[in-house]
Amino acid sequence: MKTWHEIRGFPPAIRLLLVNQLGVNTGFYLLIPYLATHLGQDLGLSAAAVGIVLGVRNLSQQGLFILGGSAADRLGARGVIIAGCALRTVGFALFALGDGLAVLLAASVLSGLAGALFNPAVRAYLAREAGERRVEAFALFNVFATAGALLGPLLGSALLLVDFRVSALTAAALFALLTVAQALVLPAREAPPPTGASVMADWREVARDRRFLAFSLALVGMFTLENQLYLLLPHGARRATGWEGAAGILFLVGTLANLAFQVRITSALKSRGNRASWIGSGLLLMGLAFVPPMTAAGPVPVLLSALLLYLGVMVAQPFVMELVPEFGRPELTGTYFGAFYVVSGIAAAVGNAVVGRAMDTGREWLPWACCAALGTASAAAVGVLRRRGAVPAPVPAPVAVNA
């Protein structure tokens, strides 16, 4: 199988990062989708308190991505990855052991901060380690992340038959294993030499990079539409079938498609055409994915929608991840990834609010139309940036050597 052949072609450090992402997503989706129910039903917290706990976790992660990226640049990505996984171990364990609001808030802060640390650090390490095979590495990264996003809820559903605390402790144990594995196996890499500037100066440099900001904003459609795998598409599947488990079928089919075709698609597209063109094509596919349920009722249009959405992500995402570091200096790879994920978090939150409001109107076609329009607009925006030469061509990165 081509996917496994590609995996064997990478050094052990990248293989570990791929397994790490599988474990990270498995542990995350094993716990987080069921957290609100545990807080409200098992612990008896008010809806307001549940919202605060969940909001603190999200804010701690999305708002601090830039901090994690800067830490990876300044301190070295390996240590930040390990620290992030260790913090999430503690945070998830607190969710299992704590009943009071103060403990739950501490668990939310720690688990959110953990994600803010290791998400940009992992991508910065991967980008530097993969060298000229960066896009293939990110394609595999997407495969392992998607598999974890499917495996986590399945495992979580099974463990919930026992108790939520068992789920939380299992997730914590998984992150503890990842922490140990990274400490033992992940090679230390020397961080790029410091520039002498402060962290604030690094952030100002990124904030003044108009090409990068324009590119990030152009990808608002990708961030928002990806999130519809957890909002609009499950809602559409349940309405079309009358079955609560229909969303799981969408995830299963999409994950199998990702496992079978992600690496093949990326390998085929890499040697043909411009990277920005493929990003635009992927975004357009993501937008078109929402047309079938808008024009026809029933389960088949929703399934077709999910497959097209997964296909669009498979086309666009590896090239997006490949290009993010090319906007800035190599010394700021982590910072650029951190800033990119701050924008993505804000975009996803706003986009979900808009789609949710459209769903509340009762007009069945409206949320699908909003998503189709957003994907098309993002594709057009990337096309404008490409024609203006605002999207950098990827430059092969040197493979790191042992420190």
Side-chain angles (χ1 to χ4, degrees):
M1 192 178 186
K2 189 174 180 61
T3 299
W4 301 116
H5 175 75
E6 289 286 345
I7 292 171
R8 289 195 299 269
F10 281 105
I14 289 183
R15 295 182 203 172
L16 177 60
L17 291 178
L18 297 177
V19 174
N20 176 76
Q21 192 59 25
L22 173 67
V24 163
N25 274 18
T26 299
F28 180 86
Y29 288 104
L30 187 159
L31 175 72
I32 295 300
Y34 311 105
L35 181 58
T37 301
H38 169 67
L39 296 175
Q41 295 184 6
D42 298 342
L43 301 184
L45 297 184
S46 67
V50 172
I52 290 172
V53 172
L54 297 180
V56 165
R57 192 213 66 79
N58 190 64
L59 181 62
S60 298
Q61 179 162 320
Q62 303 293 349
L64 297 177
F65 272 132
I66 187 70
L67 180 63
S70 292
D73 289 335
R74 296 262 168 176
L75 304 176
R78 177 181 179 272
V80 176
I81 295 170
I82 295 170
C85 280
L87 280 178
R88 183 154 284 181
T89 300
V90 176
F92 280 10
L94 285 177
F95 277 129
L97 304 175
D99 295 333
L101 184 59
V103 176
L104 293 170
L105 287 174
S108 291
V109 170
L110 288 175
S111 59
L113 176 59
L117 289 175
F118 63 66
N119 275 330
V122 165
R123 286 155 180 81
Y125 194 110
L126 192 70
R128 290 168 178 156
E129 188 79 12
E132 62 183 14
R133 300 187 62 203
R134 184 182 295 166
V135 69
E136 290 93 339
F138 278 115
L140 288 170
F141 194 80
N142 189 28
V143 170
F144 278 77
T146 303
L150 173 68
L151 182 60
L154 294 177
L155 183 57
S157 297
L159 290 174
L160 279 176
L161 296 176
V162 182
D163 184 62
F164 174 84
R165 288 177 172 81
V166 175
S167 296
L169 289 174
T170 301
L174 181 55
F175 276 97
L177 287 174
L178 291 175
T179 304
V180 172
Q182 291 154 0
L184 294 177
V185 180
L186 196 62
R189 300 304 189 203
E190 186 175 0
T195 61
S198 65
V199 171
M200 290 301 298
D202 292 344
W203 293 356
R204 284 194 296 269
E205 181 175 337
V206 174
R208 291 168 181 164
D209 190 337
R210 295 182 179 180
R211 292 193 310 160
F212 170 71
L213 294 179
F215 180 74
S216 300
L217 292 174
L219 291 172
V220 163
M222 186 179 81
F223 307 140
T224 302
L225 299 189
E226 267 192 286
N227 269 263
Q228 301 321 305
L229 288 167
Y230 309 103
L231 178 63
L232 182 56
L233 279 167
H235 169 78
R238 287 191 292 267
R239 286 188 62 89
T241 64
W243 178 39
E244 286 296 319
I249 300 300
L250 298 183
F251 293 135
L252 177 60
V253 172
T255 301
L256 292 176
N258 186 276
L259 290 171
F261 299 115
Q262 174 69 85
V263 173
R264 296 178 183 275
I265 288 172
T266 302
S267 297
L269 298 183
K270 180 182 178 181
S271 59
R272 299 176 177 87
N274 181 277
R275 262 59 162 187
S277 297
W278 292 126
I279 293 172
S281 298
L283 289 168
L284 184 59
L285 271 175
M286 292 176 72
L288 293 176
F290 294 87
V291 173
M294 182 175 63
T295 57
V300 174
V302 178
L303 180 60
L304 179 59
S305 176
L307 285 172
L308 287 174
L309 183 56
Y310 272 101
L311 178 60
V313 173
M314 285 189 275
V315 170
Q317 193 174 73
F319 295 112
V320 171
M321 295 294 102
E322 180 193 27
L323 288 178
V324 167
E326 299 302 331
F327 283 95
R329 296 180 285 116
E331 297 86 355
L332 295 183
T333 296
T335 305
Y336 269 82
F337 271 118
F340 186 74
Y341 278 98
V342 169
V343 174
S344 76
I346 296 172
V350 174
N352 278 346
V354 171
V355 173
R357 180 68 184 91
M359 292 167 65
D360 289 339
T361 64
R363 300 174 183 175
E364 290 298 318
W365 59 271
L366 185 57
W368 305 99
C370 288
C371 290
L374 185 55
T376 304
S378 281
V382 170
V384 170
L385 293 177
R386 180 181 63 83
R387 288 191 295 272
R388 292 182 177 180
V391 180
V395 178
V399 178
V401 296
N402 286 323

